[in-house]
Amino acid sequence: MAHSIQLYNTADDPRVVGKTKSTVGGAHAITLKDGCSIDEPTVSLTISASSIANANYAYIGDFGRYYWIRDRKSLVNGVVELVLESDPWESFASQLRACPATISRNENASNGYLLDDSYQLLAYNTVVTRLFPQGMTDESMILMTVG
Amino acid sequence: MAIPEQYRQGFPENYSPEAGAETQWCPVAIKECSAVGISGTFNRGGIGHIPQQTFDLTFSQSRINRALQFHKVGDVYSPDTGLNVSPPGYPTMSYEWVRDNIPEHPNTAPTSDEDSVALFGVAFVKGDDPTSRLLVIRANRSAVKTGMIDPRDPTERFNLYTITFLPFMRIYQSVEEDIYTESRLSNNGALTCDVFEGTQVRMECFDQRFITEDGEITDVNDNVVETSFFFGLSSWVQATLPNSGDTGRTWYALWCPEQESFAEYFGDGGPYGVGQNIYYGLNSVQGGYGFDGDGGTFDFRSDHIGIPTAPTMGVTSSGFYNIYKLTGQGVLADFGRALFPQLPWDEPVENTMQGIAKVINYLGQVNQSGKLLDYILDIHIIPCAVPYGSLQHITVGGREFYNEQGYPYQANVVDSPYVSQSCGSLAIPEAFGNFLDYTVRCKLYLPFYGYVEIPPEYWNGGWISVDYMFNVIDGSFVAYVSGRAKHSNMNALIGQYSGCAVTHIPLRGADYSAVVAGIITTGAGIAGSVGGLAVGNLGIAGAGASAVASGLGQLFSAKPNMVNNGSSNSSSAMMMYKTPYLIIEYPTPQFSDRYPKEKGLPLNVASSLGSYGGMTIATDVVLDGIPCTEREKERIRTALKSGLIFK
């Protein structure tokens, strides 16, 4: 069965869901290496290596997945072999976004009263004094007698 | 003003309140609910404590009031500035601030109970209608009391409420089930009607009625219609009631100790539900799970514990003792001369017998004076002003004493053996508005006693007050420490500390020896302060960090403690500083601007992973509905534990 691959370049952090990708050329037919898995396939395509020098990301539509290009090898006869590793959070981004979970930390929302053991403190404390509004300013001399 | 993000869900994307729109009140939460919700039972339990199920309001976007502004409880809205302004140093206002500062405001001066407090109110906002302002439900005391209503005091039981409402509204007060009597409007739109606790209130707005108890919304013909408005719920203090067209009024939102905003009351869905159920849930209050699956049922509201009143009986009520307050310099010297007679050696005697008689008479007087000393129980100095009554002759053993001119020695009689002295209260706002506020250490210095440590849960974001009661007779005292905190549902006496602050004036040599012995042996050792916080990024108790076990952590843990007290007895206590004060040790945080982006901030919210965007960390995610391989799922779980960045 023939498959095709679309190559991309992305500068986003690998942890980003919703990466910004720019295409590198068009779709190319690929040949799967025997015995590879769907999430870590090795594919070969006939293309000049220099034309895809800046490609670091790929999409195989038949597998419904995005892939990191982990390695590339130039073989004979203008064949380039790409070692791919799937990017599951990009590949299943919509399902992942909708997945219910207990979010323990987030960049944009927080509950400040939860303990944060990653917080940085300086070595010294700040000591503050506060005086109450009134004190005992009076004195009284008392005489106690009987009779 | 832009709508804060947490309230924005459900609004049209391009919606924003019109700049300059008239606002004269402070809603603190907007909620989509299903019926007008001021039902008949008012539970007093603390400021703003309104059972969640009581309020169920509906709204329609067709009635959006573009003048809405969103405030937190504690904000001050001033029509002059149009801004949320809190007084400097008081990001969360307490009732004390409002009480102490309202008289200075040109529009306010609560002078009577009736004007002093609105427990809560519902603000109706109708489009750009300038008369649509405010429904205020005020509290009047059920019993005759003086002074301003203290909303902190749950003994302030109210069974009479005054409702003031707006010209487009009518209030119906039920006298029997489903039978309502109409309260009419006044011409100026500010009308009051009294309803009693337990009364069901039906509010009619725009000729349509909102039934309070079951959520039905009907028109004037009792046909169920769908009509709804924005409602804001707030709790504030206002000195005088609003009138139609009134624009020059500042509203003060009362500090709500249980929640930062009323949004937290309404957690059950709705586009404005910020999220009691989202963030915490009812189950969070009840522990989440329990034997019956619903957690516990403990009511977390606290009883108010106030300062006790002085005992009614004391030494002065016996009638057997005379207690005098001495004033004036040298009064004891004059009195002493009268107490101890002088032998008139210079008076001539005619013969020896007369001289002997004079000596015997003198010796008799000396003997009598010695016995009189037994009737002087004590002379002492105590560090407080003592209330006194009229001048009376000083009597000792039934005898009165006169000076050389024949005038009697007099002193003011002490009325009561107990004297109260208030040192006031300190409002201590949170310094950080986060967990760091609850890592602080606080020592309270109590005059004549020493230092006591008070956990931040008892005062942070709230106040501490100190009051003393002295026993005039022996100089003993009790210092009462009361507190209230932002996140603690209590307003109570949190500590009572007793001691003795008196300087005895010895009358005889034996007395003096006893005083000196007291100094040596009866020192009241007072516990010194304990060590400071863990510092640096070395873990805070309970946070689970492991760095404390390191050598560096031990180094910081070995910081010396500062002992603030030695032993003291009653006399040295008199030389101690006489005004209470707090010593608070705050951590000094260093927060990188990139910290949220790189590590995320603690949240603990049940939501969909993509809800909040940005760096998102979730542990133990159940990845249902993702058609990937198990190895990919494991990679997703691993990635979520360290964080994925949702764009």
Side-chain angles (χ1 to χ4, degrees):
Chain A
M1 179 182 176
H3 304 289
S4 71
I5 192 169
Q6 174 62 57
L7 299 177
Y8 296 95
N9 175 273
T10 178
D12 281 340
D13 188 288
R15 296 170 292 176
V16 169
V17 180
K19 294 180 174 66
T20 302
K21 306 173 277 288
S22 56
T23 57
V24 177
H28 299 277
I30 56 172
T31 304
L32 279 180
K33 186 174 182 180
D34 289 342
C36 64
S37 62
I38 193 172
D39 54 324
E40 292 181 350
T42 300
V43 302
S44 57
L45 62 160
T46 303
I47 194 169
S48 78
S50 61
S51 68
I52 60 168
N54 65 337
N56 61 3
Y57 206 68
Y59 180 73
I60 299 176
D62 289 338
F63 299 160
R65 281 168 167 75
Y66 287 95
Y67 296 89
W68 290 103
I69 299 176
R70 292 301 185 206
D71 196 12
R72 92 186 69 220
K73 300 174 184 174
S74 290
L75 305 179
V76 296
N77 300 327
V79 175
V80 174
E81 184 177 87
L82 302 176
V83 179
L84 306 176
E85 181 183 18
S86 70
D87 183 353
W89 42 87
E90 187 71 22
S91 302
F92 303 98
S94 59
Q95 296 95 324
L96 194 62
R97 288 178 195 277
C99 185
T102 300
I103 300 175
S104 55
R105 298 183 76 98
N106 182 263
E107 173 183 345
N108 298 313
S110 65
N111 182 340
Y113 295 104
L114 291 171
L115 291 175
D116 187 354
D117 58 3
S118 299
Y119 215 79
Q120 291 284 346
L121 301 171
L122 297 182
Y124 57 85
N125 295 332
T126 303
V127 183
V128 176
T129 57
R130 284 282 187 272
L131 206 57
F132 274 74
Q134 288 106 39
M136 257 68 77
T137 57
D138 297 310
E139 291 178 339
S140 300
M141 184 179 292
I142 304 297
L143 168 66
M144 292 179 55
T145 69
V146 178
Chain B
M1 170 184 165
I3 300 172
E5 186 62 32
Q6 63 264 35
Y7 300 122
R8 194 174 181 81
Q9 186 182 3
F11 275 101
E13 279 194 8
N14 59 349
Y15 171 79
S16 67
E18 288 176 354
E22 181 180 89
T23 58
Q24 295 188 19
W25 43 271
C26 287
V28 294
I30 302 297
K31 166 95 171 79
E32 180 185 45
C33 307
S34 61
V36 169
I38 300 181
S39 69
T41 302
F42 297 93
N43 294 315
R44 177 56 186 86
I47 300 170
H49 182 87
I50 303 166
Q52 181 175 338
Q53 62 273 23
T54 301
F55 292 89
D56 226 13
L57 309 175
T58 54
F59 76 98
S60 165
Q61 289 188 346
S62 64
R63 303 270 186 180
I64 288 175
N65 177 11
R66 299 183 183 280
L68 281 176
Q69 298 214 357
F70 296 85
H71 299 261
K72 295 196 308 280
V73 174
D75 287 347
V76 175
Y77 174 75
S78 168
D80 294 330
T81 65
L83 300 173
N84 300 339
V85 177
S86 290
Y90 290 91
T92 303
M93 272 196 296
S94 66
Y95 173 79
E96 282 78 8
W97 185 91
V98 174
R99 176 197 64 201
D100 293 342
N101 287 278
I102 274 184
E104 298 173 359
H105 191 278
N107 267 345
T108 64
T111 57
S112 68
D113 294 352
E114 195 171 9
D115 286 340
S116 62
V117 172
L119 275 185
F120 59 89
V122 175
F124 289 84
V125 184
K126 169 184 171 290
D128 54 0
D129 181 349
T131 65
S132 64
R133 255 172 234 113
L134 191 62
L135 170 75
V136 176
I137 296 182
R138 298 185 311 167
N140 294 326
R141 285 200 177 100
S142 58
V144 176
K145 292 173 76 171
T146 58
M148 290 180 70
I149 294 174
D150 184 351
R152 301 171 297 172
D153 184 2
T155 65
E156 290 274 17
R157 299 295 174 185
F158 307 109
N159 64 3
L160 179 67
Y161 294 84
T162 302
I163 296 179
T164 303
F165 52 95
L166 301 169
F168 60 90
M169 295 173 55
R170 293 187 177 86
I171 302 294
Y172 294 82
Q173 174 180 337
S174 68
V175 295
E176 297 177 27
E177 186 175 352
D178 288 332
I179 298 175
Y180 292 79
T181 58
E182 182 178 340
S183 301
R184 301 300 307 168
L185 298 166
S186 70
N187 289 334
N188 64 6
L191 180 72
T192 63
C193 73
D194 294 334
V195 296
F196 294 94
E197 184 168 3
T199 299
Q200 291 177 345
V201 175
R202 171 182 291 177
M203 288 176 282
E204 176 185 298
C205 191
F206 301 109
D207 295 326
Q208 291 167 331
R209 295 175 188 167
F210 303 86
I211 300 176
T212 63
E213 67 275 18
D214 59 10
E216 274 188 303
I217 302 172
T218 67
D219 61 12
V220 292
N221 299 315
D222 285 328
N223 297 317
V224 176
V225 297
E226 181 183 342
T227 305
S228 53
F229 300 90
F230 274 119
F231 300 124
L233 283 165
S234 178
S235 175
W236 58 82
V237 173
Q238 184 207 354
T240 58
L241 296 174
N243 293 311
S244 175
D246 197 345
T247 60
R249 204 160 292 283
T250 296
W251 300 86
Y252 303 86
L254 272 176
W255 164 54
C256 176
E258 292 113 60
Q259 288 87 12
E260 278 198 25
S261 79
F262 276 108
E264 295 190 7
Y265 284 122
F266 308 105
D268 189 15
Y272 306 108
V274 173
Q276 180 172 352
N277 280 349
I278 293 175
Y279 288 101
Y280 319 115
L282 283 174
N283 286 341
S284 292
V285 175
Q286 295 159 349
Y289 56 89
F291 180 75
D292 293 326
D294 295 327
T297 57
F298 182 74
D299 184 347
F300 280 87
R301 288 175 293 176
S302 293
D303 297 327
H304 171 66
I305 303 171
I307 296 171
T309 55
T312 53
M313 292 188 69
V315 169
T316 53
S317 53
S318 69
F320 187 67
Y321 300 95
N322 310 305
I323 316 294
Y324 304 101
K325 180 180 187 302
L326 302 179
T327 56
Q329 296 287 338
V331 60
L332 278 182
D334 290 342
F335 179 63
R337 276 190 283 275
L339 188 62
F340 302 107
Q342 300 284 323
L343 180 65
W345 291 111
D346 56 344
E347 289 183 5
V349 294
E350 294 183 359
N351 52 53
T352 303
M353 286 306 296
Q354 194 180 46
I356 292 171
K358 186 178 283 187
V359 170
I360 292 173
N361 183 42
Y362 167 71
L363 291 174
Q365 291 181 38
V366 168
N367 184 50
Q368 204 173 36
S369 295
K371 285 190 167 50
L372 280 177
L373 278 179
D374 291 338
Y375 300 118
I376 300 178
L377 299 179
D378 195 29
I379 303 175
H380 57 261
I381 300 171
I382 56 175
C384 61
V386 174
Y388 52 86
S390 57
L391 280 172
Q392 290 187 13
H393 295 188
I394 296 178
T395 61
V396 179
R399 276 189 55 183
E400 296 178 350
F401 298 86
Y402 297 85
N403 61 16
E404 291 175 347
Q405 289 75 35
Y407 293 110
Y409 287 102
Q410 294 181 314
N412 294 104
V413 173
V414 172
D415 287 336
S416 167
Y418 300 100
V419 176
S420 295
Q421 168 80 49
S422 173
C423 297
S425 63
L426 276 182
I428 314 288
E430 288 185 336
F432 307 104
N434 60 29
F435 70 100
L436 288 173
D437 285 303
Y438 298 89
T439 65
V440 302
R441 294 195 93 109
C442 173
K443 287 183 290 195
L444 169 64
Y445 167 73
L446 295 170
F448 321 120
Y449 184 84
Y451 293 84
V452 296
E453 288 221 35
I454 306 181
E457 285 79 3
Y458 287 76
W459 54 268
N460 213 334
W463 47 263
I464 300 180
S465 68
V466 174
D467 298 88
Y468 276 73
M469 188 178 299
F470 287 90
N471 184 329
V472 175
I473 305 307
D474 58 10
S476 60
F477 68 85
V478 175
Y480 303 99
V481 179
S482 304
R484 186 165 201 178
K486 183 177 181 180
H487 297 286
S488 294
N489 187 14
M490 60 132 218
N491 165 21
L493 197 59
I494 59 176
Q496 300 175 78
Y497 306 91
S498 61
C500 193
V502 63
T503 299
H504 288 286
I505 300 175
L507 299 172
R508 311 167 197 245
D511 295 341
Y512 179 72
S513 298
V515 169
V516 172
I519 292 170
I520 295 172
T521 66
T522 62
I526 300 167
S529 60
V530 293
L533 297 168
V535 293
N537 183 23
L538 301 178
I540 297 163
S546 60
V548 175
S550 71
L552 194 57
Q554 291 169 354
L555 182 65
F556 279 101
S557 301
K559 273 173 135 181
N561 298 332
M562 182 171 172
V563 178
N564 296 108
N565 305 309
S567 353
S568 69
N569 70 351
S570 54
S571 287
S572 57
M574 290 285 284
M575 293 182 280
M576 296 171 79
Y577 195 72
K578 292 186 174 64
T579 304
Y581 60 91
L582 293 172
I583 303 176
I584 311 173
E585 288 182 39
Y586 288 98
T588 313
Q590 188 171 60
F591 183 80
S592 161
D593 286 344
R594 290 200 58 79
Y595 180 85
K597 198 173 285 293
E598 292 169 356
K599 292 184 180 288
L601 301 172
L603 183 57
N604 196 36
V605 162
S607 184
S608 55
L609 282 171
S611 293
Y612 299 98
M615 168 62 73
T616 301
I617 295 175
T619 55
D620 304 315
V621 181
V622 177
L623 294 172
D624 286 338
I626 301 181
C628 59
T629 65
E630 180 52 38
R631 185 162 60 182
E632 287 173 317
K633 283 191 178 180
E634 193 54 41
R635 289 180 57 205
I636 293 173
R637 287 193 202 97
T638 301
L640 280 169
K641 285 181 182 176
S642 58
L644 288 176
I645 304 168
F646 285 85
K647 272 190 174 177

